[in-house]
Amino acid sequence: MGRLRATYRLQFGPEFTFDQATALVPYFRDLGISHLYASPIFAARAGSSHGYDVVDHSRVSPELGGEAGLRRLVARLREAGMGIILDIVPNHAGVGSDNDHWRGLLEFGEKGPDSRWFDVDWVRGPLIAPILGETLGEAVAAGMLQAVWDHDRGQLAIRYHDHLLPLGPATVARLLDAAAPIRRDCEFLPALARSWAELGNGALTRQAIEARRMALRAAFSDAPLHALILEMLEQELTDPDEAMTAQRRLFDEQAWRLGHWRIARDELNYRRFFSISDLAALRAEDPEIFDAIHALPLRLLDEGIVDGLRVDHVDGLADPARYCRTLRDAVGPGVTIHVEKILAREESLRPWPIDGTTGYELTNLVNGLFIDPEGYTRLRERAAELGLSPPPERIAERVATAKREILDHGFVTELGKLTKLAKAIADKSLQTTDLTEEALRRGISDLLVAFPVYRAYRDDGPCTPKDRLLIEAAVAMLPATADPWLQRVRDFVQAVLVEGADDEIIVEFCQRFQQLTAPLMAKGYEDTELYRHIVLLSANEVGGHLDRPAVSVDEFHARVAGLAKDWPRNLVPLATHDTKWGADTRATLNLLSEAPDRWIAAAEGWSGLTAARRAAADGGEMPTRLDEMRIFQTLFGAWPISAERLDAYLVKAIREAREYGSWEAPDEGYEAATRDLARQLLESGDFEAVRLELAALRREADAGARLNGLAQTIIQLTIPGVPDIYWGGEFWDHALVDPDNRRIIDWGRRVRALENRPPDASALELGETAGDSDDTVKQAVIHRLLRLREDIPALFDGGDYRPLTLSGEPGETARWLGYGREAEGVVLIVIVPVRGLAAVARRDAERVQLELPDAWEGLVGRDIFSNATIDISRRLELATLVSANSLAVIVADRGVVAREGPAGTRSPRRG
């Protein structure tokens, strides 16, 4: 459906359905969006607010409006000339009673047809079901387990709260057999019992299972028989025998073992999504499972309902490269595919047959432009003096420490599986058979922790040079050891990862190793270290780089030029559902790097005022200075903010940091003290002086924050790639981490603002005199640039990217970014400040000049925001170009073909 010009990410859920989106299609069209980009729309857990806990990949979520609602939305999109991209989740599924494949796995175990869906280590025994809030004995004694009959599914089961655990065929057969002498009038019972016993012996086709279910439903239409079977089952569950003989027999018959939720850490025997036990990894590498998972999106593509796919967490798959090739073969060449992939700073996307990533690396690239490196260094040095921040050279060590904590607490079973595989490999040679499991565990742990990026991509063929270098880099990062045995183990593990892959066990080891490095990096870095690092919170972003978060103009140019060459259809977001901050929260916080001493003085002054309130406990303060500084920065970045929003964020930050409790074991006392201080800062009369100074700081910073926010938006919409606007982000976006960034949007305000917008030919006031609280200015900039992308498609689909030289003092030129694009006789010139406070102060615009290519001299351009006419010469004074708004996007046309105007002169189209 048309060219992919700009996407808009929608967060579907019970409070935002297909029909609500359908009503907004005219708004998105008028804004200039070409494709809606939908969060997962497949049947998920009841009430899911994000959709990533899919329980049925074959159905569109009824809570969102079902397939009929989706088709109504798409029909409206087609009328508007728009398309839609789906976020698909091939990596994992939500487990529980509402997932038929999971229930089938529980019911029939390893031999059942659903066992292929999930990655279960059956060698270790029955499937662990860690759902209890107490021990099994306590649950039984308290009568918390109940016998139930699920007629719709034709299953006898045990209920625990909302969980239904189907009983296996051996139990069903035994209960039917036991009922036969009591209900002699039911002559069919012995045969029915034998038919279920046959399932237990391996007659496990789906057809055979469904035939037995139908027979069982028919039998249980006899209400007295139904009641008798449930009574017998209840008696076994409440067996008064101290040895629990009946209960033990009942539980021993199942393909599952019920246990306390805490046993998941040590005994779980199925692979999960990260360390979340109620999200089980899927075996998408199995062709049958791939086909089942993708049947619905492929059908919607074939029917012309869907235009593109976004693949969630591609690094969790067994072989991402092969997956991408298989998916491309399935969808054909004309369908866009983007993958969620977090790239390290120097890492490049592998040459897969896709259109690019979802753009975390570009979020950080753009953000880094607005961090003043000298100011950041000053903030870091002061934080180090206060004992709150490590020197840059220690960050890798801290990340490794966090990863090891996560490995030891969250991935014990995954590490155990790798160790078993390594031992099996070692035992094949007399040279390595003496390597013990414990020694191998240590060696594997060391390499997992040291791995420098999310993962390598070795398949079942030879190790590629790039993957070899990654493995060697991990080895090089290992701490030196004087233990020759440990060194031998490390050498062995390295050799397994790098060398022969002609062995099935080696292939599995490499696959599982790679599938573990990704969640380990995500949990250890993104969800631990990023919450422990407090220098400048805007640098603490998914895929960011705490050791050197600032990005120079030259580095930016080089990387964007590479993007234009290699991945011109990559998504370019400023925020996503997974980023730690809203785009404008980040833009505002970046100002602290421009005025570090002003911020240090203010924050330390506030800390002096709060010192008496920080309760002492066990020799320490609650909250710590680090969490207090977190509160101060969050207040500055998101001001004004409600106590409820700040409260929820702080709880998440504390638990993710894992220094004072965790999600598994919260430190409620510490959390309460931290939340109480935050609330007092917002509400108590004792801290009115803090609030007054904070408000004054924000007033001083507002113009700079606005310039930062608009400048990063202009960059997003004019560099190579496809701009992706996140959920409400066309207004100022001062969100915190999820779930705050999924709050309900005031769509009415956005619709009215666009409807009431002056014609495109009118000048926009974007500089420091624009209204402080005027959300519509950002929307107007986005609208005007999206219209430009629509009016001159060649400029953005294939136009080159040209860094423009700024001449002047280095300290002054570093505060501005200039680049150009050209295609089919149209020239685009973009000049924006990357230091908002400096731009407001006009420190350097008079002394900096922009140098343009000789070929552009003599053109007449027009600034699409100020409507100023620009006579282009080889060298232009920056002050001339940005005199009105401090921002300039200039379009010049070599041709003489009449246009509606390079800036677009149309009013919004009405639907």
Side-chain angles (χ1 to χ4, degrees), residues 774-814:
D774 184 4
D775 281 316
T776 66
V777 66
K778 185 179 176 186
Q779 183 194 57
V781 166
I782 291 172
H783 174 265
R784 195 158 288 191
L785 287 170
L786 289 181
R787 286 296 175 217
L788 185 68
R789 295 180 69 94
E790 183 178 13
D791 289 344
I792 317 175
L795 198 57
F796 299 97
D797 289 347
D800 63 357
Y801 177 86
R802 297 189 185 184
L804 298 180
T805 300
L806 293 166
S807 59
E809 292 297 321
E812 297 171 340
T813 58

Side-chain angles (χ1 to χ4, degrees), residues 185-244:
D185 56 317
C186 297
E187 297 176 356
F188 57 83
L189 281 177
L192 184 58
R194 286 194 299 274
S195 72
W196 275 88
E198 288 173 2
L199 291 182
N201 295 328
L204 284 172
T205 65
R206 292 198 184 276
Q207 294 82 356
I209 291 170
E210 186 53 35
R212 269 68 166 189
R213 290 203 198 289
M214 290 180 64
L216 196 60
R217 289 190 192 98
F220 276 23
S221 63
D222 181 323
L225 175 62
H226 171 197
L228 172 63
I229 296 291
L230 289 182
E231 181 182 353
M232 295 167 65
L233 184 54
E234 286 284 358
Q235 287 176 351
E236 292 189 5
L237 284 170
T238 57
D239 181 9
D241 183 349
E242 290 185 5
M244 299 192 298

Side-chain angles (χ1 to χ4, degrees), residues 372 553 594 707 768 806-817 831-850 876-883 886-887:
D372 186 300
V553 169
E594 286 194 69
L707 283 178
E768 59 267 28
L806 293 166
S807 59
E809 292 297 321
E812 297 171 340
T813 58
R815 293 196 281 259
W816 294 86
L817 174 72
I831 310 100
V832 295
V834 293
R835 300 289 182 271
L837 293 182
V840 170
R842 305 278 182 188
R843 294 179 193 161
D844 39 45
E846 301 288 343
R847 297 183 297 276
V848 175
Q849 291 185 321
L850 180 69
L876 292 172
E877 290 186 357
L878 196 65
T880 301
L881 298 175
V882 299
S883 58
S886 298
L887 305 141

Side-chain angles (χ1 to χ4, degrees), residues 431-718:
Q431 302 299 319
T432 54
T433 189
D434 283 346
L435 298 180
T436 64
E437 285 195 15
E438 183 54 36
L440 289 166
R441 180 187 296 270
R442 290 199 303 271
I444 294 167
S445 298
D446 289 345
L447 273 172
L448 286 167
V449 166
F451 209 77
V453 297
Y454 274 72
R455 68 166 283 169
Y457 297 96
R458 178 169 186 180
D459 55 19
D460 54 5
C463 190
T464 67
K466 186 170 286 190
D467 290 318
R468 182 184 291 269
L469 286 174
L470 285 175
I471 295 163
E472 290 173 352
V475 171
M477 291 177 67
L478 293 175
T481 178
D483 182 348
W485 196 250
L486 178 57
Q487 187 59 52
R488 179 174 292 195
V489 171
R490 289 177 174 178
D491 291 344
F492 168 75
V493 177
Q494 179 182 1
V496 171
L497 290 170
V498 169
E499 294 172 6
D502 55 349
D503 185 293
E504 201 172 287
I505 300 178
I506 292 177
V507 170
E508 183 179 359
F509 177 86
C510 293
Q511 171 189 308
R512 290 183 181 276
F513 184 92
Q514 293 173 145
Q515 284 179 297
L516 185 50
T517 57
L520 196 58
M521 178 69 86
K523 296 300 295 180
Y525 180 64
E526 290 176 30
D527 292 344
T528 303
E529 179 59 21
L530 288 186
Y531 288 100
R532 293 177 175 178
H533 199 89
I534 204 64
V535 175
L536 181 65
L537 290 181
S538 53
N540 297 17
E541 193 52 272
V542 177
H545 310 280
L546 295 178
D547 54 341
R548 48 190 182 101
V551 173
S552 70
V553 169
D554 287 343
E555 180 183 356
F556 179 85
H557 285 320
R559 291 179 63 188
V560 173
L563 177 73
K565 175 178 176 291
D566 299 326
W567 300 102
R569 290 161 66 83
N570 210 87
L571 293 187
V572 186
L574 293 179
T576 76
H577 62 286
D578 273 335
T579 48
K580 304 295 185 187
W581 304 102
D584 296 296
T585 313
R586 211 182 300 116
T588 303
L589 284 167
N590 283 336
L591 296 175
L592 301 182
S593 70
E594 286 194 69
D597 291 321
R598 175 79 172 90
W599 173 252
I600 288 168
E604 292 185 12
W606 301 339
S607 186
L609 294 175
T610 63
R613 298 292 183 96
R614 294 198 301 273
D618 298 327
E621 294 177 320
M622 295 198 302
T624 61
R625 286 290 296 277
L626 187 147
D627 277 321
E628 182 186 57
M629 291 300 170
R630 184 196 315 281
I631 294 171
F632 293 158
Q633 285 197 39
T634 306
L635 287 172
F636 178 81
W639 185 264
I641 185 173
S642 69
E644 291 72 25
R645 289 179 62 206
L646 182 57
D647 186 275
Y649 166 71
L650 290 173
V651 169
K652 179 164 185 170
I654 291 167
R655 294 182 184 181
E656 296 284 16
R658 302 177 64 87
E659 292 187 302
Y660 294 89
S662 63
W663 291 106
E664 299 83 7
D667 185 335
E668 295 179 357
Y670 183 83
E671 289 178 6
T674 306
R675 293 159 59 193
D676 181 62
L677 177 62
R679 188 170 287 271
Q680 289 187 52
L681 285 167
L682 285 171
E683 298 175 353
S684 171
D686 293 342
F687 294 114
E688 184 177 3
V690 174
R691 292 193 294 277
L692 289 173
E693 186 175 10
L694 179 63
L697 276 174
R698 276 303 305 267
R699 284 194 298 273
E700 293 172 23
D702 271 343
R706 181 169 48 255
L707 283 178
N708 273 4
L710 293 178
Q712 69 181 6
T713 300
I714 291 169
I715 295 168
Q716 176 195 25
L717 272 68
T718 56

